[in-house]
mmCIF file of all heavy atoms in Angstrom:
data_model
loop_
_atom_site.group_PDB
_atom_site.id
_atom_site.type_symbol
_atom_site.label_atom_id
_atom_site.label_comp_id
_atom_site.label_asym_id
_atom_site.label_seq_id
_atom_site.Cartn_x
_atom_site.Cartn_y
_atom_site.Cartn_z
ATOM 1 N N ARG A 460 167.248 -5.138 33.879
ATOM 2 C CA ARG A 460 167.488 -5.209 35.314
ATOM 3 C C ARG A 460 168.991 -5.409 35.546
ATOM 4 O O ARG A 460 169.678 -6.048 34.733
ATOM 5 C CB ARG A 460 166.696 -6.367 35.958
ATOM 6 C CG ARG A 460 165.183 -6.199 35.924
ATOM 7 C CD ARG A 460 164.713 -5.060 36.800
ATOM 8 N NE ARG A 460 163.256 -4.970 36.856
ATOM 9 C CZ ARG A 460 162.508 -4.300 35.995
ATOM 10 N NH1 ARG A 460 163.083 -3.670 34.984
ATOM 11 N NH2 ARG A 460 161.195 -4.261 36.137
ATOM 12 N N ASP A 461 169.479 -4.891 36.657
ATOM 13 C CA ASP A 461 170.875 -5.070 37.074
ATOM 14 C C ASP A 461 171.882 -4.538 36.051
ATOM 15 O O ASP A 461 173.039 -4.968 36.027
ATOM 16 C CB ASP A 461 171.173 -6.556 37.345
ATOM 17 C CG ASP A 461 170.268 -7.121 38.426
ATOM 18 O OD1 ASP A 461 169.952 -6.364 39.368
ATOM 19 O OD2 ASP A 461 169.868 -8.288 38.318
ATOM 20 N N GLY A 462 171.455 -3.638 35.188
ATOM 21 C CA GLY A 462 172.369 -2.996 34.258
ATOM 22 C C GLY A 462 172.792 -3.821 33.070
ATOM 23 O O GLY A 462 173.413 -3.306 32.133
ATOM 24 N N CYS A 463 172.480 -5.141 33.058
ATOM 25 C CA CYS A 463 172.947 -5.993 31.954
ATOM 26 C C CYS A 463 171.973 -7.112 31.583
ATOM 27 O O CYS A 463 172.189 -7.815 30.598
ATOM 28 C CB CYS A 463 174.311 -6.593 32.287
ATOM 29 S SG CYS A 463 174.286 -7.625 33.775
ATOM 30 N N ASP A 464 170.916 -7.292 32.368
ATOM 31 C CA ASP A 464 169.988 -8.396 32.139
ATOM 32 C C ASP A 464 168.802 -7.886 31.303
ATOM 33 O O ASP A 464 167.844 -7.337 31.832
ATOM 34 C CB ASP A 464 169.507 -8.953 33.479
ATOM 35 C CG ASP A 464 168.617 -10.180 33.300
ATOM 36 O OD1 ASP A 464 168.552 -10.715 32.175
ATOM 37 O OD2 ASP A 464 167.985 -10.595 34.287
ATOM 38 N N TYR A 465 168.892 -8.067 29.983
ATOM 39 C CA TYR A 465 167.840 -7.623 29.073
ATOM 40 C C TYR A 465 166.877 -8.775 28.788
ATOM 41 O O TYR A 465 167.309 -9.888 28.478
ATOM 42 C CB TYR A 465 168.436 -7.143 27.750
ATOM 43 C CG TYR A 465 169.322 -5.920 27.872
ATOM 44 C CD1 TYR A 465 170.700 -6.050 28.015
ATOM 45 C CD2 TYR A 465 168.774 -4.645 27.829
ATOM 46 C CE1 TYR A 465 171.519 -4.934 28.125
ATOM 47 C CE2 TYR A 465 169.577 -3.516 27.932
ATOM 48 C CZ TYR A 465 170.950 -3.670 28.086
ATOM 49 O OH TYR A 465 171.746 -2.558 28.187
ATOM 50 N N ARG A 466 165.576 -8.482 28.883
ATOM 51 C CA ARG A 466 164.579 -9.528 28.648
ATOM 52 C C ARG A 466 163.387 -8.972 27.889
ATOM 53 O O ARG A 466 163.127 -7.769 27.909
ATOM 54 C CB ARG A 466 164.115 -10.164 29.956
ATOM 55 C CG ARG A 466 165.242 -10.871 30.696
ATOM 56 C CD ARG A 466 164.781 -11.539 31.953
ATOM 57 N NE ARG A 466 165.911 -12.122 32.661
ATOM 58 C CZ ARG A 466 166.179 -13.426 32.700
ATOM 59 N NH1 ARG A 466 165.400 -14.275 32.069
ATOM 60 N NH2 ARG A 466 167.216 -13.885 33.372
ATOM 61 N N ALA A 467 162.642 -9.908 27.259
ATOM 62 C CA ALA A 467 161.406 -9.561 26.555
ATOM 63 C C ALA A 467 160.272 -10.368 27.166
ATOM 64 O O ALA A 467 160.418 -11.567 27.424
ATOM 65 C CB ALA A 467 161.523 -9.873 25.060
ATOM 66 N N GLY A 468 159.122 -9.691 27.397
ATOM 67 C CA GLY A 468 158.007 -10.400 28.012
ATOM 68 C C GLY A 468 158.357 -10.846 29.413
ATOM 69 O O GLY A 468 159.015 -10.125 30.181
ATOM 70 N N LEU A 469 157.936 -12.069 29.739
ATOM 71 C CA LEU A 469 158.170 -12.568 31.089
ATOM 72 C C LEU A 469 159.612 -13.017 31.312
ATOM 73 O O LEU A 469 160.209 -12.740 32.348
ATOM 74 C CB LEU A 469 157.214 -13.732 31.390
ATOM 75 C CG LEU A 469 155.742 -13.362 31.582
ATOM 76 C CD1 LEU A 469 154.898 -14.615 31.772
ATOM 77 C CD2 LEU A 469 155.586 -12.448 32.797
ATOM 78 N N SER A 470 160.198 -13.737 30.323
ATOM 79 C CA SER A 470 161.504 -14.333 30.628
ATOM 80 C C SER A 470 162.410 -14.552 29.416
ATOM 81 O O SER A 470 163.437 -15.217 29.555
ATOM 82 C CB SER A 470 161.291 -15.692 31.318
ATOM 83 O OG SER A 470 160.517 -16.549 30.491
ATOM 84 N N VAL A 471 162.079 -14.052 28.244
ATOM 85 C CA VAL A 471 162.929 -14.283 27.072
ATOM 86 C C VAL A 471 164.209 -13.457 27.209
ATOM 87 O O VAL A 471 164.164 -12.227 27.263
ATOM 88 C CB VAL A 471 162.196 -13.909 25.767
ATOM 89 C CG1 VAL A 471 163.113 -14.107 24.565
ATOM 90 C CG2 VAL A 471 160.932 -14.744 25.612
ATOM 91 N N HIS A 472 165.355 -14.128 27.291
ATOM 92 C CA HIS A 472 166.634 -13.440 27.477
ATOM 93 C C HIS A 472 167.119 -12.888 26.142
ATOM 94 O O HIS A 472 167.093 -13.566 25.117
ATOM 95 C CB HIS A 472 167.668 -14.406 28.049
ATOM 96 C CG HIS A 472 169.001 -13.774 28.298
ATOM 97 N ND1 HIS A 472 169.220 -12.869 29.311
ATOM 98 C CD2 HIS A 472 170.189 -13.902 27.651
ATOM 99 C CE1 HIS A 472 170.481 -12.478 29.288
ATOM 100 N NE2 HIS A 472 171.089 -13.088 28.284
ATOM 101 N N LEU A 473 167.585 -11.627 26.138
ATOM 102 C CA LEU A 473 168.098 -10.984 24.938
ATOM 103 C C LEU A 473 169.621 -10.911 25.023
ATOM 104 O O LEU A 473 170.169 -10.358 25.975
ATOM 105 C CB LEU A 473 167.525 -9.571 24.787
ATOM 106 C CG LEU A 473 165.985 -9.457 24.762
ATOM 107 C CD1 LEU A 473 165.571 -7.996 24.610
ATOM 108 C CD2 LEU A 473 165.403 -10.288 23.638
ATOM 109 N N SER A 474 170.296 -11.452 24.016
ATOM 110 C CA SER A 474 171.761 -11.419 23.986
ATOM 111 C C SER A 474 172.205 -10.240 23.131
ATOM 112 O O SER A 474 171.999 -10.230 21.917
ATOM 113 C CB SER A 474 172.308 -12.727 23.401
ATOM 114 O OG SER A 474 171.950 -13.827 24.209
ATOM 115 N N LEU A 475 172.824 -9.259 23.782
ATOM 116 C CA LEU A 475 173.291 -8.061 23.084
ATOM 117 C C LEU A 475 174.809 -7.958 23.176
ATOM 118 O O LEU A 475 175.393 -8.289 24.202
ATOM 119 C CB LEU A 475 172.645 -6.806 23.697
ATOM 120 C CG LEU A 475 171.108 -6.780 23.744
ATOM 121 C CD1 LEU A 475 170.628 -5.479 24.362
ATOM 122 C CD2 LEU A 475 170.520 -6.961 22.359
ATOM 123 N N LYS A 476 175.439 -7.507 22.080
ATOM 124 C CA LYS A 476 176.895 -7.392 22.055
ATOM 125 C C LYS A 476 177.390 -6.182 22.849
ATOM 126 O O LYS A 476 178.528 -6.160 23.308
ATOM 127 C CB LYS A 476 177.379 -7.307 20.608
ATOM 128 C CG LYS A 476 177.134 -8.585 19.809
ATOM 129 C CD LYS A 476 177.665 -8.452 18.390
ATOM 130 C CE LYS A 476 177.449 -9.748 17.609
ATOM 131 N NZ LYS A 476 177.951 -9.628 16.214
#
Side-chain angles (χ1 to χ4, degrees):
R460 294 293 185 273
D461 301 325
C463 60
D464 184 11
Y465 296 94
R466 297 182 184 255
L469 289 176
S470 58
V471 178
H472 181 71
L473 304 180
S474 298
L475 304 181
K476 294 181 179 179

